[in-house]
Short mmCIF file of all heavy atoms in Angstrom, two decimals:
data_model
loop_
_atom_site.label_atom_id
_atom_site.label_comp_id
_atom_site.label_asym_id
_atom_site.label_seq_id
_atom_site.Cartn_x
_atom_site.Cartn_y
_atom_site.Cartn_z
N PRO A 1 -30.63 -54.72 -105.47
CA PRO A 1 -30.89 -54.26 -104.10
C PRO A 1 -31.17 -55.41 -103.14
O PRO A 1 -31.82 -56.40 -103.51
CB PRO A 1 -32.11 -53.36 -104.26
CG PRO A 1 -32.77 -53.81 -105.51
CD PRO A 1 -31.68 -54.29 -106.41
N LYS A 2 -30.67 -55.29 -101.93
CA LYS A 2 -30.90 -56.29 -100.89
C LYS A 2 -32.12 -55.97 -100.04
O LYS A 2 -32.46 -56.73 -99.13
CB LYS A 2 -29.67 -56.40 -99.99
CG LYS A 2 -28.41 -56.88 -100.69
CD LYS A 2 -27.25 -56.98 -99.71
CE LYS A 2 -25.97 -57.44 -100.40
NZ LYS A 2 -24.84 -57.53 -99.45
N SER A 3 -32.76 -54.84 -100.32
CA SER A 3 -33.90 -54.39 -99.53
C SER A 3 -34.77 -53.50 -100.42
O SER A 3 -34.35 -53.11 -101.52
CB SER A 3 -33.40 -53.61 -98.31
OG SER A 3 -34.41 -52.79 -97.75
N ASN A 4 -35.98 -53.20 -99.95
CA ASN A 4 -36.83 -52.25 -100.68
C ASN A 4 -37.07 -50.98 -99.87
O ASN A 4 -38.01 -50.23 -100.13
CB ASN A 4 -38.17 -52.88 -101.05
CG ASN A 4 -39.03 -53.19 -99.84
OD1 ASN A 4 -38.53 -53.29 -98.72
ND2 ASN A 4 -40.33 -53.34 -100.06
N LEU A 5 -36.18 -50.75 -98.87
CA LEU A 5 -36.30 -49.55 -98.03
C LEU A 5 -35.39 -48.45 -98.59
O LEU A 5 -34.17 -48.54 -98.50
CB LEU A 5 -35.93 -49.86 -96.58
CG LEU A 5 -36.86 -50.81 -95.84
CD1 LEU A 5 -36.35 -51.06 -94.43
CD2 LEU A 5 -38.29 -50.25 -95.79
N ALA A 6 -36.00 -47.44 -99.18
CA ALA A 6 -35.24 -46.36 -99.80
C ALA A 6 -35.06 -45.19 -98.84
O ALA A 6 -35.99 -44.82 -98.11
CB ALA A 6 -35.96 -45.87 -101.06
N SER A 7 -33.88 -44.63 -98.84
CA SER A 7 -33.63 -43.42 -98.06
C SER A 7 -34.44 -42.26 -98.63
O SER A 7 -34.47 -42.04 -99.84
CB SER A 7 -32.14 -43.06 -98.09
OG SER A 7 -31.94 -41.77 -97.52
N MET A 8 -35.10 -41.51 -97.76
CA MET A 8 -35.88 -40.35 -98.17
C MET A 8 -35.05 -39.07 -98.13
O MET A 8 -35.57 -37.98 -98.40
CB MET A 8 -37.10 -40.19 -97.26
CG MET A 8 -38.07 -41.36 -97.33
SD MET A 8 -39.33 -41.32 -96.02
CE MET A 8 -40.21 -39.82 -96.43
N GLY A 9 -33.76 -39.20 -97.80
CA GLY A 9 -32.93 -38.00 -97.69
C GLY A 9 -33.28 -37.16 -96.47
O GLY A 9 -33.04 -35.95 -96.44
N ILE A 10 -33.84 -37.80 -95.45
CA ILE A 10 -34.20 -37.14 -94.19
C ILE A 10 -33.33 -37.76 -93.11
O ILE A 10 -33.46 -38.95 -92.79
CB ILE A 10 -35.69 -37.31 -93.86
CG1 ILE A 10 -36.54 -36.67 -94.96
CG2 ILE A 10 -36.03 -36.73 -92.50
CD1 ILE A 10 -38.03 -36.94 -94.80
N TYR A 11 -32.43 -36.95 -92.55
CA TYR A 11 -31.45 -37.44 -91.58
C TYR A 11 -31.61 -36.70 -90.26
O TYR A 11 -31.69 -35.47 -90.24
CB TYR A 11 -30.03 -37.21 -92.07
CG TYR A 11 -29.72 -37.73 -93.46
CD1 TYR A 11 -29.64 -36.86 -94.54
CD2 TYR A 11 -29.52 -39.09 -93.69
CE1 TYR A 11 -29.34 -37.31 -95.82
CE2 TYR A 11 -29.23 -39.56 -94.96
CZ TYR A 11 -29.14 -38.66 -96.02
OH TYR A 11 -28.86 -39.12 -97.29
N MET A 12 -31.60 -37.45 -89.15
CA MET A 12 -31.60 -36.85 -87.81
C MET A 12 -30.33 -37.29 -87.10
O MET A 12 -30.15 -38.47 -86.77
CB MET A 12 -32.85 -37.29 -87.04
CG MET A 12 -33.08 -36.52 -85.75
SD MET A 12 -34.64 -36.99 -84.95
CE MET A 12 -35.86 -36.28 -86.06
N PHE A 13 -29.42 -36.35 -86.92
CA PHE A 13 -28.10 -36.63 -86.34
C PHE A 13 -27.97 -36.09 -84.92
O PHE A 13 -28.53 -35.03 -84.60
CB PHE A 13 -27.00 -35.93 -87.16
CG PHE A 13 -26.67 -36.54 -88.49
CD1 PHE A 13 -27.28 -36.07 -89.64
CD2 PHE A 13 -25.73 -37.54 -88.59
CE1 PHE A 13 -26.96 -36.60 -90.88
CE2 PHE A 13 -25.39 -38.07 -89.83
CZ PHE A 13 -26.01 -37.60 -90.98
N LYS A 14 -27.20 -36.80 -84.09
CA LYS A 14 -26.63 -36.16 -82.90
C LYS A 14 -25.66 -35.11 -83.41
O LYS A 14 -24.75 -35.41 -84.20
CB LYS A 14 -25.85 -37.17 -82.06
CG LYS A 14 -26.67 -38.09 -81.19
CD LYS A 14 -25.72 -38.97 -80.36
CE LYS A 14 -26.47 -39.97 -79.52
NZ LYS A 14 -25.53 -40.86 -78.79
N TRP A 15 -25.81 -33.88 -82.98
CA TRP A 15 -24.96 -32.83 -83.51
C TRP A 15 -23.50 -33.04 -83.14
O TRP A 15 -22.60 -32.82 -83.98
CB TRP A 15 -25.44 -31.45 -83.06
CG TRP A 15 -24.53 -30.34 -83.49
CD1 TRP A 15 -23.95 -29.39 -82.70
CD2 TRP A 15 -24.11 -30.04 -84.84
NE1 TRP A 15 -23.18 -28.53 -83.45
CE2 TRP A 15 -23.26 -28.91 -84.76
CE3 TRP A 15 -24.34 -30.62 -86.07
CZ2 TRP A 15 -22.66 -28.35 -85.90
CZ3 TRP A 15 -23.74 -30.07 -87.20
CH2 TRP A 15 -22.93 -28.95 -87.11
N SER A 16 -23.21 -33.48 -81.94
CA SER A 16 -21.82 -33.68 -81.54
C SER A 16 -21.13 -34.70 -82.44
O SER A 16 -19.96 -34.54 -82.80
CB SER A 16 -21.74 -34.13 -80.07
OG SER A 16 -22.47 -35.34 -79.89
N VAL A 17 -21.86 -35.74 -82.84
CA VAL A 17 -21.31 -36.77 -83.72
C VAL A 17 -21.14 -36.22 -85.13
O VAL A 17 -20.08 -36.37 -85.76
CB VAL A 17 -22.23 -38.01 -83.73
CG1 VAL A 17 -21.78 -39.00 -84.81
CG2 VAL A 17 -22.24 -38.67 -82.36
N LEU A 18 -22.16 -35.58 -85.66
CA LEU A 18 -22.10 -35.06 -87.02
C LEU A 18 -21.03 -33.99 -87.16
O LEU A 18 -20.29 -33.96 -88.16
CB LEU A 18 -23.46 -34.50 -87.44
CG LEU A 18 -23.50 -33.88 -88.84
CD1 LEU A 18 -23.10 -34.89 -89.91
CD2 LEU A 18 -24.88 -33.30 -89.13
N ARG A 19 -20.91 -33.14 -86.18
CA ARG A 19 -19.92 -32.05 -86.25
C ARG A 19 -18.51 -32.61 -86.42
O ARG A 19 -17.73 -32.13 -87.25
CB ARG A 19 -20.01 -31.20 -84.97
CG ARG A 19 -19.23 -29.90 -85.02
CD ARG A 19 -19.35 -29.17 -83.70
NE ARG A 19 -18.84 -27.82 -83.80
CZ ARG A 19 -17.55 -27.49 -83.78
NH1 ARG A 19 -16.61 -28.45 -83.67
NH2 ARG A 19 -17.17 -26.23 -83.88
N LYS A 20 -18.19 -33.64 -85.66
CA LYS A 20 -16.87 -34.26 -85.75
C LYS A 20 -16.67 -34.90 -87.12
O LYS A 20 -15.61 -34.76 -87.74
CB LYS A 20 -16.72 -35.30 -84.64
CG LYS A 20 -15.35 -35.99 -84.58
CD LYS A 20 -15.29 -36.89 -83.35
CE LYS A 20 -13.91 -37.55 -83.22
NZ LYS A 20 -13.64 -38.50 -84.31
N LEU A 21 -17.69 -35.60 -87.61
CA LEU A 21 -17.60 -36.24 -88.93
C LEU A 21 -17.41 -35.22 -90.04
O LEU A 21 -16.64 -35.44 -90.98
CB LEU A 21 -18.87 -37.06 -89.19
CG LEU A 21 -19.03 -38.36 -88.40
CD1 LEU A 21 -20.46 -38.86 -88.51
CD2 LEU A 21 -18.05 -39.41 -88.90
N LEU A 22 -18.11 -34.11 -89.96
CA LEU A 22 -18.00 -33.08 -90.99
C LEU A 22 -16.61 -32.45 -91.01
O LEU A 22 -16.04 -32.18 -92.08
CB LEU A 22 -19.06 -31.99 -90.77
CG LEU A 22 -20.51 -32.40 -91.00
CD1 LEU A 22 -21.45 -31.27 -90.61
CD2 LEU A 22 -20.75 -32.81 -92.45
N LYS A 23 -16.04 -32.22 -89.84
CA LYS A 23 -14.69 -31.66 -89.76
C LYS A 23 -13.67 -32.60 -90.41
O LYS A 23 -12.78 -32.16 -91.15
CB LYS A 23 -14.31 -31.40 -88.30
CG LYS A 23 -15.10 -30.27 -87.63
CD LYS A 23 -14.57 -28.91 -88.07
CE LYS A 23 -15.18 -27.80 -87.24
NZ LYS A 23 -14.63 -26.47 -87.63
N GLU A 24 -13.83 -33.89 -90.14
CA GLU A 24 -12.92 -34.87 -90.73
C GLU A 24 -13.13 -34.97 -92.23
O GLU A 24 -12.16 -35.05 -93.01
CB GLU A 24 -13.15 -36.24 -90.07
CG GLU A 24 -12.75 -36.30 -88.60
CD GLU A 24 -13.18 -37.58 -87.93
OE1 GLU A 24 -13.87 -38.41 -88.59
OE2 GLU A 24 -12.85 -37.78 -86.73
N ASP A 25 -14.39 -34.97 -92.67
CA ASP A 25 -14.71 -35.09 -94.09
C ASP A 25 -14.18 -33.89 -94.87
O ASP A 25 -13.71 -34.03 -96.00
CB ASP A 25 -16.22 -35.20 -94.26
CG ASP A 25 -16.63 -35.33 -95.71
OD1 ASP A 25 -16.46 -36.42 -96.27
OD2 ASP A 25 -17.11 -34.33 -96.28
N HIS A 26 -14.22 -32.72 -94.26
CA HIS A 26 -13.75 -31.50 -94.93
C HIS A 26 -12.27 -31.58 -95.28
O HIS A 26 -11.82 -31.01 -96.28
CB HIS A 26 -14.02 -30.30 -94.01
CG HIS A 26 -13.59 -28.99 -94.60
ND1 HIS A 26 -14.19 -28.42 -95.70
CD2 HIS A 26 -12.60 -28.13 -94.24
CE1 HIS A 26 -13.60 -27.28 -96.00
NE2 HIS A 26 -12.63 -27.08 -95.12
N LYS A 27 -11.51 -32.31 -94.47
CA LYS A 27 -10.07 -32.42 -94.68
C LYS A 27 -9.69 -33.54 -95.65
O LYS A 27 -8.52 -33.68 -96.01
CB LYS A 27 -9.37 -32.67 -93.33
CG LYS A 27 -9.53 -31.53 -92.34
CD LYS A 27 -8.92 -31.90 -91.00
CE LYS A 27 -9.14 -30.79 -89.97
NZ LYS A 27 -8.60 -31.18 -88.64
N ASN A 28 -10.68 -34.32 -96.07
CA ASN A 28 -10.41 -35.48 -96.93
C ASN A 28 -10.48 -35.08 -98.40
O ASN A 28 -11.57 -34.82 -98.92
CB ASN A 28 -11.42 -36.59 -96.64
CG ASN A 28 -11.19 -37.84 -97.47
OD1 ASN A 28 -10.26 -37.90 -98.28
ND2 ASN A 28 -12.04 -38.82 -97.28
N PRO A 29 -9.36 -35.04 -99.11
CA PRO A 29 -9.37 -34.59 -100.52
C PRO A 29 -10.08 -35.58 -101.45
O PRO A 29 -10.45 -35.21 -102.57
CB PRO A 29 -7.88 -34.49 -100.87
CG PRO A 29 -7.20 -35.44 -99.93
CD PRO A 29 -7.99 -35.39 -98.66
N ASP A 30 -10.27 -36.81 -101.00
CA ASP A 30 -10.92 -37.81 -101.85
C ASP A 30 -12.43 -37.88 -101.65
O ASP A 30 -13.11 -38.63 -102.33
CB ASP A 30 -10.32 -39.19 -101.56
CG ASP A 30 -8.84 -39.25 -101.90
OD1 ASP A 30 -8.44 -38.63 -102.91
OD2 ASP A 30 -8.09 -39.90 -101.14
N SER A 31 -12.95 -37.10 -100.71
CA SER A 31 -14.37 -37.15 -100.42
C SER A 31 -15.17 -36.29 -101.40
O SER A 31 -14.69 -35.26 -101.88
CB SER A 31 -14.64 -36.64 -98.99
OG SER A 31 -16.03 -36.56 -98.74
N GLU A 32 -16.40 -36.73 -101.69
CA GLU A 32 -17.33 -35.91 -102.47
C GLU A 32 -18.20 -35.05 -101.56
O GLU A 32 -19.08 -34.33 -102.02
CB GLU A 32 -18.21 -36.81 -103.35
CG GLU A 32 -17.43 -37.55 -104.42
CD GLU A 32 -18.33 -38.34 -105.35
OE1 GLU A 32 -19.39 -37.81 -105.75
OE2 GLU A 32 -17.98 -39.50 -105.66
N HIS A 33 -17.97 -35.14 -100.25
CA HIS A 33 -18.65 -34.33 -99.24
C HIS A 33 -20.17 -34.47 -99.34
O HIS A 33 -20.92 -33.49 -99.33
CB HIS A 33 -18.23 -32.86 -99.35
CG HIS A 33 -16.74 -32.67 -99.43
ND1 HIS A 33 -15.89 -33.08 -98.42
CD2 HIS A 33 -15.95 -32.17 -100.41
CE1 HIS A 33 -14.63 -32.82 -98.76
NE2 HIS A 33 -14.64 -32.28 -99.96
N ASP A 34 -20.59 -35.75 -99.43
CA ASP A 34 -22.00 -36.07 -99.63
C ASP A 34 -22.44 -37.03 -98.52
O ASP A 34 -21.69 -37.92 -98.12
CB ASP A 34 -22.18 -36.72 -101.00
CG ASP A 34 -23.62 -37.04 -101.31
OD1 ASP A 34 -24.33 -36.14 -101.78
OD2 ASP A 34 -24.03 -38.19 -101.09
N PHE A 35 -23.67 -36.85 -98.03
CA PHE A 35 -24.14 -37.72 -96.96
C PHE A 35 -24.25 -39.17 -97.42
O PHE A 35 -23.76 -40.08 -96.75
CB PHE A 35 -25.50 -37.23 -96.43
CG PHE A 35 -25.38 -36.05 -95.52
CD1 PHE A 35 -25.85 -34.81 -95.91
CD2 PHE A 35 -24.79 -36.17 -94.27
CE1 PHE A 35 -25.73 -33.71 -95.09
CE2 PHE A 35 -24.66 -35.07 -93.43
CZ PHE A 35 -25.14 -33.83 -93.84
N GLY A 36 -24.88 -39.41 -98.56
CA GLY A 36 -25.08 -40.78 -99.03
C GLY A 36 -23.80 -41.47 -99.46
O GLY A 36 -23.63 -42.67 -99.25
N LYS A 37 -22.88 -40.72 -100.07
CA LYS A 37 -21.67 -41.32 -100.61
C LYS A 37 -20.52 -41.39 -99.60
O LYS A 37 -19.63 -42.24 -99.73
CB LYS A 37 -21.21 -40.54 -101.84
CG LYS A 37 -22.19 -40.61 -103.00
CD LYS A 37 -21.73 -39.76 -104.16
CE LYS A 37 -22.72 -39.79 -105.32
NZ LYS A 37 -22.32 -38.89 -106.42
N ASP A 38 -20.52 -40.48 -98.62
CA ASP A 38 -19.35 -40.39 -97.73
C ASP A 38 -19.69 -40.53 -96.24
O ASP A 38 -19.13 -41.39 -95.56
CB ASP A 38 -18.64 -39.04 -97.96
CG ASP A 38 -18.22 -38.85 -99.40
OD1 ASP A 38 -17.28 -39.55 -99.84
OD2 ASP A 38 -18.84 -38.04 -100.11
N ILE A 39 -20.60 -39.70 -95.75
CA ILE A 39 -20.84 -39.65 -94.30
C ILE A 39 -21.49 -40.92 -93.79
O ILE A 39 -21.02 -41.54 -92.82
CB ILE A 39 -21.70 -38.41 -93.94
CG1 ILE A 39 -21.01 -37.12 -94.37
CG2 ILE A 39 -21.99 -38.41 -92.43
CD1 ILE A 39 -19.69 -36.85 -93.70
N ILE A 40 -22.59 -41.35 -94.44
CA ILE A 40 -23.31 -42.55 -93.96
C ILE A 40 -22.43 -43.80 -94.07
O ILE A 40 -22.34 -44.57 -93.10
CB ILE A 40 -24.63 -42.72 -94.72
CG1 ILE A 40 -25.53 -41.49 -94.53
CG2 ILE A 40 -25.35 -43.99 -94.27
CD1 ILE A 40 -25.82 -41.12 -93.10
N PRO A 41 -21.74 -44.04 -95.21
CA PRO A 41 -20.85 -45.22 -95.26
C PRO A 41 -19.77 -45.19 -94.19
O PRO A 41 -19.43 -46.24 -93.60
CB PRO A 41 -20.26 -45.15 -96.66
CG PRO A 41 -21.29 -44.44 -97.47
CD PRO A 41 -21.86 -43.41 -96.54
N LYS A 42 -19.21 -44.01 -93.91
CA LYS A 42 -18.17 -43.94 -92.88
C LYS A 42 -18.73 -44.30 -91.51
O LYS A 42 -18.07 -44.97 -90.71
CB LYS A 42 -17.55 -42.54 -92.85
CG LYS A 42 -16.43 -42.41 -91.84
CD LYS A 42 -15.72 -41.07 -91.91
CE LYS A 42 -14.58 -41.02 -90.89
NZ LYS A 42 -13.83 -39.74 -90.96
N MET A 43 -19.94 -43.84 -91.23
CA MET A 43 -20.56 -44.16 -89.94
C MET A 43 -20.76 -45.67 -89.80
O MET A 43 -20.50 -46.24 -88.73
CB MET A 43 -21.88 -43.42 -89.79
CG MET A 43 -21.75 -41.89 -89.74
SD MET A 43 -23.33 -41.04 -89.55
CE MET A 43 -23.65 -41.31 -87.79
N LEU A 44 -21.22 -46.31 -90.86
CA LEU A 44 -21.40 -47.76 -90.82
C LEU A 44 -20.07 -48.48 -90.61
O LEU A 44 -19.96 -49.40 -89.78
CB LEU A 44 -22.05 -48.24 -92.12
CG LEU A 44 -23.57 -48.15 -92.20
CD1 LEU A 44 -24.04 -48.43 -93.62
CD2 LEU A 44 -24.23 -49.14 -91.23
#
């Protein structure tokens, strides 16, 4: 690990941003549809 800051699994999203990301993620056959594995890395 490069840090000691662990995610608590508590996310506060702009809904307009998250809604668009979820729609795109839903269409991705390679996604696991997970915040930690898919949504957060894509945002970065």
Side-chain angles (χ1 to χ4, degrees):
K2 297 181 181 180
S3 161
N4 67 340
L5 294 178
S7 170
M8 298 169 64
I10 299 173
Y11 308 104
M12 191 175 289
F13 286 94
K14 282 184 183 176
W15 175 234
S16 59
V17 171
L18 178 58
R19 191 182 191 282
K20 182 174 183 294
L21 287 166
L22 292 174
K23 291 283 189 178
E24 293 171 356
D25 180 76
H26 181 67
K27 297 175 183 177
N28 181 0
D30 297 322
S31 174
E32 294 185 43
H33 311 299
D34 182 84
F35 283 111
K37 295 176 182 177
D38 303 289
I39 301 298
I40 301 305
K42 182 174 181 178
M43 295 180 77
L44 276 170

